[in-house]
Amino acid sequence: MKGYLFLASFLVYAAWRTTHVINALTRPDLPHEYFGTASGPKDASSQCSVLRGADNKLSYCEDQTFWEFEDAQGHVFDRKVVASCDPNRKNWNTVMGPLSSPDPLGGLWLVEYDRANASAKEMKLVDYPERRDFHPLGVAIWPSKLGSTSNMFVVNHGRHRTTIEQFLLDPADPSSAKFIRTLSSKYFISPNALALTSPSSFFVSNDHFMTRRLPSILGEILPVIETFIGLPLGFISHVSIVNEAMPGAAIIRHTIPKLGISFPNGIALSPDGQTLAVASSSYTRVLFYNRTSNEDGTEKLTYAHAVSVPFAPDNVHYDDTGALLVAGHPYFPGLIAVAENKTTEGSPSWVAELTPRTQGGASVRSFDLDAPFSATQRVKAAASHGLTTLYQSDGSKFSGSTTGLRDTRSGTLFVVGLFEEGLLICRP
Ligand SMILES: *[C@@H]1O[C@H](CO)[C@@H](O)[C@H](O)[C@H]1NC(C)=O
Ligand SMILES: *[C@@H]1O[C@H](CO)[C@@H](O)[C@H](O)[C@H]1NC(C)=O
Ligand SMILES: *[C@@H]1O[C@H](CO)[C@@H](O)[C@H](O)[C@H]1NC(C)=O
């Protein structure tokens, strides 16, 4: 009897799991390239272009974020993009593997742009310890107010362990990042993405509990099992630096407001600071948590809702209207094939926005109808959020999208890809 019960629950679980996994395990029929906005499709061929850096080193970028410049009233009057890139990712990838060589180092790129032009420059890491690895993943920057300096935090997948590096950025010399210190903790098991809660505190996702860093065969098998069975072993930590005003090694306070998420990848805090969005890659959905900051500085995350997306979501970023940009992989085997040099074709890309529905809002029956391959072919509409496709590619134009960012002043969309050269810019 017990056996049947077990079998029955397993079958229910497997059926439920399959409906999620299928969104990233079958190849969708995507166009070479599509660019859309909430107000309709645009002409990707004339409005999207790829910005390249010197020596093509602005490549294989995992994350990107805005560095914002605010006036006295707190209004953003300018933005630059900072992207975390690692052209050596095919030989050093602590999330997907392999771990064959941590040399050479990755870098950060500063992208300055206006409505017509954009340029990219590799950032100089000033005072960064010599012979120290630098393999940047999640990056987050506190805004500059009236020309003040900004703290920047970067997840760094070093050869022995993962740390979080703190830098100082100065608008007077924007392409230099002054190294301040390294944050480390025994709880930094697999840090991936960051969401700042103050100039010196942040949430950090830990994507797996069983990581590639485990010895030999264990490191090859266990993380894959964790990903594909969807074991909820990832977690969200909150870190604050206690001695921020003092130099020297950081003393950090580390708490774990949320345990038990399957492959939590990107995370983002809403503009009002009330909601934390978490991309769960192995369940192809985005989880939303209500955030409460307690008097004693600890953080509480309360599950609010989940929104299924038509791809394995990678990074998430809010724009300043409260729309969440989600980028990811609609065909995960394609990404693995690219990582292993098993194909010369790119891996499909998909970027969408999730917009909170206002009560009694739009019809939830039909949505995303402009996209050549509509999200409706893979997911049902969520009660809490609308979904609109912003960018799609079968991989031939832009491969392996990991992060989308949008500057709402002009609607400009920025996309980076895990094994792609350059940074995509689409202007509506
Ligand atoms: C873009 O760059 C070109 C050439 O450098 C320059 O002539 C033009 O004024 C720039 N446009 C804007 C909007 O800055
Ligand atoms: C989350 O916050 C929203 C807005 O304040 C509220 O309506 C909702 O009930 C909250 N959900 C939970 C589970 O606390
Ligand atoms: C794939 O090709 C790159 C060079 O483009 C090389 O560095 C890497 O080691 C190759 N990976 C495999 C698994 O062969």
Side-chain angles (χ1 to χ4, degrees):
M1 187 61 203
K2 250 188 191 157
Y4 284 115
L5 205 62
F6 176 79
L7 185 66
S9 15
F10 179 77
L11 289 178
V12 168
Y13 165 79
W16 178 72
R17 173 89 184 106
T18 306
T19 59
H20 286 88
V21 161
I22 216 81
N23 286 337
L25 292 186
T26 49
R27 187 189 279 277
D29 187 15
L30 297 179
H32 291 315
E33 187 168 45
Y34 167 78
F35 172 40
T37 66
S39 60
K42 305 285 165 187
D43 178 11
S45 64
S46 65
Q47 288 165 285
C48 295
S49 60
V50 175
L51 175 69
R52 291 179 198 280
D55 305 327
N56 223 5
K57 278 172 68 193
L58 170 55
S59 288
Y60 294 19
C61 309
E62 203 272 349
D63 198 13
Q64 55 174 345
T65 188
F66 282 125
W67 179 15
E68 300 192 320
F69 301 88
E70 297 179 352
D71 63 17
Q73 282 75 45
H75 296 134
V76 175
F77 65 86
D78 197 14
R79 290 188 172 98
K80 300 181 197 303
V81 172
V82 172
S84 65
C85 309
D86 199 345
N88 183 45
R89 192 178 308 284
K90 282 185 177 172
N91 298 306
W92 188 255
N93 185 337
T94 68
V95 187
M96 290 167 64
L99 298 181
S100 51
S101 165
D103 302 306
L105 309 189
L108 299 171
W109 285 77
L110 180 77
V111 176
E112 301 185 88
Y113 63 95
D114 57 26
R115 275 166 197 270
N117 298 328
S119 65
K121 212 187 226 178
E122 184 165 8
M123 297 180 87
K124 200 148 69 142
L125 306 184
V126 177
D127 297 342
Y128 193 70
E130 255 181 80
R131 289 196 296 277
R132 171 83 78 83
D133 293 327
F134 191 66
H135 295 288
L137 223 67
V139 52
I141 307 172
W142 194 253
S144 162
K145 284 201 171 59
L146 290 169
S148 70
T149 55
S150 289
N151 276 354
M152 172 171 73
F153 295 90
V154 186
V155 171
N156 178 13
H157 285 190
R159 76 186 63 203
H160 301 301
R161 59 207 174 95
T162 296
T163 52
I164 297 174
E165 314 296 341
Q166 183 183 350
F167 294 90
L168 196 67
L169 302 184
D170 186 348
D173 180 14
S175 62
S176 293
K178 184 176 157 44
F179 175 74
I180 302 296
R181 56 190 156 197
T182 295
L183 314 187
S184 37
S185 160
K186 64 179 176 204
Y187 299 112
F188 290 175
I189 299 202
S190 50
N192 188 308
L194 301 170
L196 301 185
T197 48
S198 81
S200 58
S201 64
F202 49 82
F203 288 108
V204 52
S205 58
N206 279 263
D207 52 56
H208 286 77
F209 181 69
M210 300 187 282
T211 74
R212 295 269 166 186
R213 292 183 190 276
L214 291 170
S216 64
I217 193 82
L218 291 182
E220 272 164 43
I221 293 175
L222 294 182
V224 177
I225 293 178
E226 184 174 333
T227 301
F228 286 99
I229 300 186
L231 295 179
L233 298 179
F235 58 98
I236 308 293
S237 304
H238 187 261
V239 171
S240 31
I241 306 176
V242 177
N243 59 333
E244 164 64 4
M246 291 174 274
I251 302 167
I252 63 172
R253 186 167 61 183
H254 185 280
T255 57
I256 302 181
K258 192 50 72 184
L259 277 166
I261 306 178
S262 301
F263 199 161
N265 200 326
I267 55 173
L269 194 62
S270 61
D272 65 7
Q274 306 279 300
T275 305
L276 188 77
V278 177
S280 171
S281 296
S282 52
Y283 277 95
T284 65
R285 56 188 185 170
V286 178
L287 307 169
F288 291 87
Y289 294 91
N290 285 358
R291 170 187 173 221
T292 324
S293 329
N294 301 317
E295 294 277 310
D296 63 359
T298 58
E299 297 277 341
K300 190 168 161 224
L301 295 174
T302 313
Y303 171 79
H305 32 247
V307 175
S308 290
V309 291
F311 47 84
D314 199 320
N315 281 323
V316 290
H317 284 272
Y318 278 97
D319 76 6
D320 49 13
T321 69
L324 185 74
L325 270 71
V326 189
H329 313 290
Y331 183 56
F332 201 67
L335 190 70
I336 294 172
V338 170
E340 296 178 344
N341 299 336
K342 287 196 175 137
T343 174
T344 50
E345 283 168 41
S347 169
S349 291
W350 197 331
V351 183
E353 68 173 312
L354 299 180
T355 44
R357 286 186 203 282
T358 47
Q359 225 107 43
S363 150
V364 295
R365 284 256 180 83
S366 52
F367 66 104
D368 197 36
L369 298 179
D370 290 329
F373 185 92
S374 168
T376 53
Q377 296 187 48
R378 287 191 157 184
V379 293
K380 288 206 181 75
S384 61
H385 289 74
L387 186 157
T388 305
T389 292
L390 303 178
Y391 185 82
Q392 279 178 338
S393 172
D394 59 7
S396 61
K397 287 288 185 180
F398 201 79
S399 164
S401 57
T402 55
T403 311
L405 276 183
R406 182 169 55 196
D407 186 336
T408 44
R409 295 172 306 161
S410 56
T412 305
L413 177 72
F414 301 86
V415 184
V416 293
L418 201 59
F419 300 102
E420 181 58 283
E421 295 173 355
L423 181 150
L424 179 79
I425 302 180
C426 295
R427 294 183 161 91

